[in-house]
Amino acid sequence: MSAPVESTTPPALERPTLSLRGVNKSFGAVQVLHDVHLDVYPGKVTALVGDNGAGKSTLIKSIAGIHPIDSGTVEFEGKPVQLNGPRDAARLGIEVVYQDLALADNLDVVQNMFLGRERKQGIVLDEASMEEAARDTLAKLSVRTLKSVRQLVSSLSGGQRQTVAIAKAVLWESKLVILDEPTAALGVAQTRQVLDLVRRLADTGHAVVFITHNMVDVFEVADRVAALYLGRVAADVPISDVDRTQIIELITSGRSGELGLAPDALED
Amino acid sequence: MSAPVESTTPPALERPTLSLRGVNKSFGAVQVLHDVHLDVYPGKVTALVGDNGAGKSTLIKSIAGIHPIDSGTVEFEGKPVQLNGPRDAARLGIEVVYQDLALADNLDVVQNMFLGRERKQGIVLDEASMEEAARDTLAKLSVRTLKSVRQLVSSLSGGQRQTVAIAKAVLWESKLVILDEPTAALGVAQTRQVLDLVRRLADTGHAVVFITHNMVDVFEVADRVAALYLGRVAADVPISDVDRTQIIELITSGRSGELGLAPDALED
Amino acid sequence: MSSNTLTAAEASGPHKPAAGFEGDRQDNTVGGAVRGYLNKLRAGDLGALPAILGIIVLGIFFTVLRPDTFLTPLNLSNLLVQATPIIVLAMGLVFVLLLGEIDLSAGVISGVCSAVLAQLLVQVGVSWPIAVLAAIATGAVIGVFTGTLVGIIGIPSFVVTLALFLGFQGVTLRIIGQGGTVPVREPVIRALANENVPVTLGWVLAAVVAVAYAAFELWRWRSLKSRGLAHQPLALVVARVVLIAAVVFGVTAILSVDRALAAAIDLAGIPYAVPLVVVLLLVATFVLARTAFGRHVYAVGGNAEAARRAGINVTRIRVAAFMISSSLAAISGILATSRLSSVTPDAGAGNTLLYAVGAAVIGGTSLFGGRGKARDAVLGGLVIAIINNGLGLLGVAAYLNFIITGGVLLLAASVDALARRRAATARR
Amino acid sequence: MSSNTLTAAEASGPHKPAAGFEGDRQDNTVGGAVRGYLNKLRAGDLGALPAILGIIVLGIFFTVLRPDTFLTPLNLSNLLVQATPIIVLAMGLVFVLLLGEIDLSAGVISGVCSAVLAQLLVQVGVSWPIAVLAAIATGAVIGVFTGTLVGIIGIPSFVVTLALFLGFQGVTLRIIGQGGTVPVREPVIRALANENVPVTLGWVLAAVVAVAYAAFELWRWRSLKSRGLAHQPLALVVARVVLIAAVVFGVTAILSVDRALAAAIDLAGIPYAVPLVVVLLLVATFVLARTAFGRHVYAVGGNAEAARRAGINVTRIRVAAFMISSSLAAISGILATSRLSSVTPDAGAGNTLLYAVGAAVIGGTSLFGGRGKARDAVLGGLVIAIINNGLGLLGVAAYLNFIITGGVLLLAASVDALARRRAATARR
Amino acid sequence: ACGGDDSGNGGGEAGGGEAAAGKIGVILPDTASSARWESADRPLLEAAFEEAGVEYEIDNAQGDKQRMATIAEQMITEGVTVLAITNLDSASGAAIQQQAEQQGVQTIDYDRLTLGGESDYYVSFDNTEVGRLQGQGLADCLGDEAANIAFLNGSPDDNNATLFSEGAHEVLDPMTQYTQVAEQSVPEWDNQQAATIFEQMYTQAGGDIQGVVAANDGLANAVVSILGRNNAAGQVPVTGQDATVEGLQNILAGNQCMTVYKPIEEEANALAELAVALVNGEEPQVDGSVEDVEGDREVPSVLLDPVSITRENVKQVIDDGYQTAADVCTGEYAAACTELGIS
Ligand SMILES: Nc1ncnc2c1ncn2[C@@H]1O[C@H](COP(=O)(O)OP(=O)(O)OP(=O)(O)O)[C@@H](O)[C@H]1O
Ligand SMILES: Nc1ncnc2c1ncn2[C@@H]1O[C@H](COP(=O)(O)OP(=O)(O)OP(=O)(O)O)[C@@H](O)[C@H]1O
Ligand SMILES: [Mg+2]
Ligand SMILES: [Mg+2]
């Protein structure tokens, strides 16, 4: 079986917020995730890297309960959990920004940001307070070209949509925040803000998973790096243990020196 | 009215492949493009930069005929043209990779790549030759995780979809190739290939417009930079005339020293 | 050197960046509000306009052709009562259409429920409140069944309700007995469509509605203003309150005139069915516009996957929408029963459903989900009812009736489609 | 250093990268093909399976209940002829459904076209080829009209065809006249559903079909193999050819038996309507699977905006699909006319359309566009026809008939939905 | 047709012992146009066939011509030798009969003559006569005074509806004291639509309608409920047909002038007798013949008379057992029943 070469033991004292053990996932005949082990720690940013199609999005969708896993165990704060839907994940305190941003085009920015967790007075929606909160959060993310928070999401630019999705996720105090290529469509200033935000989240004790193809970002914000290669975890190590070239080797070939998948795992 | 401060005259000898003059575009009450002037030259990569929501995608969708423009003229190879639909653009030889990748999820990779321009024998589709051509093009773009070119596009990862869209556009020998954030979702190796491809296209005489938020990419492949600020062209200059800080200033505030929009244009 | 790292100085740049959200600081003048509305129209969002135009144009048309009869109090009261079953059915459908689903079986469900009502009243002999509750409960149960098939098993609603459309015709036939007709002579049920609210009580009701509306609008205006949020100018709010009050009192006044054709008889007051529809409209509007449930209905219709990822129980929303739709279908069936004082085995079959779908669409509800309001059913239902009513007065041949109804439906839809297309921005 | 620039050495890495496309190098053994098929089933793509299962299960069910009659040559020939109008109507609908549109008016269009046919034959007295062409042309023109409203003006097809459904009922009524019926005694038209291909000719036709199919399949196999592209193992191709030939000859053999009940009479051969349907099936399959037009139909149904951006004339595709649908509806109307030898004002109204939509869906065509085949109409139409035929033999009460038809439709759809759901991968 | 008869008879006689192998098929037209088919004809025919001890099969086409053709084919497949149909229209009926003829099956037209068909016999009430009774009944209720009358006809695509209307016009057109102010058809006999259509007629006429020819009791009930809304029920005579519970109750309450009662038992028994005779290879008894103008032939016929029912002879319907007193004399109608001696 494939197994990452255990190069570093995680800090013994700390309990991971999320830990995956032997997770497998197939779509029909195509096995996308092979026996995935992954630990995500509170107060740390874990960068999840991997080639296009390596299975990063599939992995985080499994964590979010969108794709039920085929086998393996998921532990959240030490307790085994069953994730059968996004509601289970939300209940545990997992918040996700998806790569294929999930926004309802026919609703406006405020409505999207509070979707599923509307503020109410009695049974009546409290529009005023939601509008204020949304505007504050967006302003923090350096959104300057948005005309109105009552604009329909369908009329937003790619980056504006991305920002709304991020703002939506950070509105809630979640234990684990997962961001799937959050800066892909962002401008320079907005990217800056998101990176700062990611760091801030970790510094305030949240566990953060950050997927990106950008090595500079990885080295700027990440505490740990997990590399996926063809659906297998090639490495899951502190950032201090690797350099840029090693990570790129892990991404493109699954191995880098001592690190990475055992050669026989690459065969099958 | 707003007008870019003319800092450099384009090379007098060369005729632009595409030139926009005074292009305006509104959605309902929201004016997105203000009086846009832009020239795109053959054999050159023009990087189009701008903040999120600056109007980059709207501009290239106008060029592609997807959003008809409200006023202004478009000249292609010196002749004024009317762009009322993507078919007009395709007929002129304009090929576009859209930010919101336009792929038909229910078709496979080959079918998507040849959509609208199927190879035929008589009236019968020539599947075999299309399949071969698609596989060759994809291989060139460093696609290694794709299981099959007969896979449905709906089952592809974000980066795989991006690659298919790019491969689709470069299959055709077009005079003008426009790429809207083509590398946003791509992995390291794939990004490398796309940048090389962009350079190659320009070197073989094509005009290329390349939209990105990544300054390193801009400086690596671009010959000219056009900066959009709130729907206005803040600058349209050779890359040698600007440095990184200047471009970022143009993006974030529309001005940088001598370059950029006149202060009064920023007011209205 | 990084592409995506940026110092704070770089990010802010030499000029002050635009602060954003300027659209939210809209002017609170009447002119600004009018401009805002015109902009919305220009952007292709016609809302209730095609339906209101339709009502006005058809009204003028039939008034010109039948000046003696079309605008009489008698005909207007007929018109309202004729419209009620269609309006209520369409109002239920709005919930389902908002999800991007369809309920082809709503018409026959109204038939099944009225059959249940009739048999309970006539065969079993229960009292009317029990029979009515049982009929509505039947609708609700059917709705839960449909919703389960659509929401949990995941069969497309078109197919589920197509199958149920066939199946329930059989059920009604079974309950009523082939070829039979069950007369419903229960006075309370009959009164719904055939009796009127006493004139004085009618005026009191009208006053209550008008005052409550005014109070609510003004309270809302004040609360928005005090929190510094976007609000309409007071003049516009007052104008709207006055308009609504005028309509309410106008209708009440017309219906309070003695409209009996024979001098000896006294016939005045608002038919009971009308306040019933008003109450349903208010409740449905409240649910859709002001509760989390309503918000979730729109979200599921706009992007079910996004709604699911936002933690909304999509299945529950689907089931609930079908339940509401079928319950309203049951009420529509009761209104139809009241009108004829009897139930036939083919109740609710035929074109009933198509008229109701047409009403919702003319009113402005989208068939693709995510766009629509409860009032669409009322406006669209009135358009359909006016066509039938007017053509009845004209006494045109049956074939023309079909053609004209189809034509008007097409026309209303074209107005909407053309406006939208003109403003088309290739939104997907 | 930059995040996205990378030297060639870095990119290739120490190990050889996986070369990709390994899925295309599938094994060409029978086992591999079977595994591939099972994988497809597991992935929720049931294709024609529910319909074929439906045919088999229903066939066994009715054979057990009516062993003396259900499987007789007479009943099988009845069954086929009963199925033809529904199959042809559904085949047209497949084109429209593939676009994600619906044509609610297809049934009444078949009525209008048969009314035109009848009046031309009877009132004007033209010869049958002219009348048939005129009827089909009427269908085509109506289809172009519908397609224009949907494709150019942009009204949702549900609304357009709902309006036309009402309107065309009026048109048929107008053409035929109230309460009237136009008898069609033209021998060629009558022969379609009521006469049979001479037995010898039937065998010749069957042989031609079988041989042509075999030749085509083998040619295709060889050409794929020679170009080194993915191809099925020869054994599987041969097996398929044998199966098809067996079905063709089997049906021919059954229909060549003298099935007259009275000894004095001779009644044998394939009803003319059957080869007509086979030809339509072959043409429609070719158009959808092997031409650019067909490819574009699927693309528009999958993502109309992507198709538009790819330079496909989406409007033209929409208009063409509606034209094809309405033309096939006209042919379906002619077949129905032939069966009854008459046309009535309500031709094509009622449940005609719903049965046809049900047939397409049971066959495996999606209502959301982009998925479906011409053969779906044939398989689904047979399921619907078997239900009607079998229930006719059982002579169940009318209400049960409705309920059972609805139930079977629901069952077929559930099988499909459950399989899809089990494999659900949150594709949007 | 003669040849067909001979072979049928011959077959029956040759295999006297096999007479039981013969089978009767009956296809009724629909469930919507009238209450009678399923509530009366089917049980009556079933009883008669059971008593005669013949094999039979009865089905209903539910108003669908394609369906009727399908049922006919099924019945022929099942070995029916005598097929009685109530056609949905002449031409589709003729097609069925031709097919039956080909298969050597004898056919009977039940209630409706198939013009241009191949039927061997015809059993019916006269539909035009029904219309005449309606016309006459209305005239009797209205008397000699001047009156405005309206016609609410059946479904525009139902040929019988046309015949009813023709009959009524035949009687009422010459009566110059009546002004015909409105006439409309009701698609699919839909009672809800009937109510709207009549309401609009009534409003358009300014309430100045003194009599209504409604084609059946369902339409009549729609008229009555609209009149009720206008507090005018009972003052405007309305006709009907089928003697339904609803119609009879309306008559008892004085809201409906008359209905046409077709003693279906007589008609059903006539059909049963005829069919049983044919299936047993006997020569059936007929009253005479009716001319099929289109097919240019004389069809041997058993003809029955419809009966006009007013308040005075409601009792007859109940005495015949066509409706039960328990159904009709509920609640408010009990008094009227007692008065008229109905129990
Ligand atoms: N529904 C599906 N059915 C079949 N295969 C799928 C499906 N979804 C994903 N895959 C396959 O699984 C693999 C992993 O996809 P995934 O989206 O997880 O990649 P990723 O690591 O997120 O890539 P990217 O960086 O491009 O976003 C891909 O090869 C993809 O084709
Ligand atoms: N259909 C529309 N209706 C109204 N406003 C729109 C519409 N489409 C775009 N806009 C607005 O136009 C502006 C420009 O959008 P555009 O997509 O061109 O930005 P962009 O420069 O491509 O940004 P990004 O870098 O985020 O992709 C945005 O403010 C957006 O909200
Ligand atoms: Mg991904
Ligand atoms: Mg963009």
Side-chain angles (χ1 to χ4, degrees), chain C residues 66 69 72 74-75 77-78 81-82 173 178-183 185 190 193-195 261 265-267 271 336-337 339-342 344-346 349 351-352 355 388-398 401-402, chain E residues 31-32 34-36 38-39 42 60 62 156 183-185 187-193 195-197 199-208 221-222 225-226 228-232 235 244-246 249-250 327 332-333:
Chain C
R66 282 291 178 269
T69 41
T72 54
L74 174 59
N75 192 51
S77 112
N78 289 347
V81 176
Q82 287 161 10
L173 213 55
Q178 287 200 343
T181 303
V182 183
R185 303 255 145 84
R190 277 210 60 230
N194 297 307
E195 306 282 335
L261 290 166
I265 310 163
D266 216 33
L267 193 66
T337 306
R339 244 189 116 215
L340 282 189
S341 310
S342 72
T344 51
D346 59 351
N351 294 342
T352 317
Y355 280 128
N388 277 333
N389 180 295
L391 291 181
L393 292 181
L394 295 185
V396 300
N401 214 315
F402 278 121
Chain E
T31 55
S34 166
R36 60 171 286 188
E38 290 295 323
S39 60
R42 188 192 276 266
N60 191 312
Q62 300 181 0
E183 175 153 12
Q184 293 263 304
S185 302
E188 308 296 315
W189 300 85
D190 181 329
N191 295 349
Q192 289 287 347
Q193 279 194 57
T196 304
I197 290 170
E199 191 163 41
Q200 295 314 103
M201 281 180 177
Y202 189 72
T203 309
Q204 178 56 29
D208 197 6
N221 183 62
S225 41
I226 294 304
R229 274 165 52 65
N230 288 284
N231 291 347
Q235 294 155 31
T244 61
V245 170
E246 190 179 37
Q249 288 181 340
N250 277 330
D327 284 343
E332 54 195 293
Y333 307 101

Side-chain angles (χ1 to χ4, degrees), chain A residues 151 155 157 159-160, chain B residues 27 32 52-58 99 181 213:
Chain A
Q151 202 172 348
S155 71
S157 83
Q160 287 167 339
Chain B
F27 293 113
V32 175
N52 288 136
K56 303 181 295 298
S57 298
T58 306
Q99 185 172 18
E181 309 198 16
H213 291 293

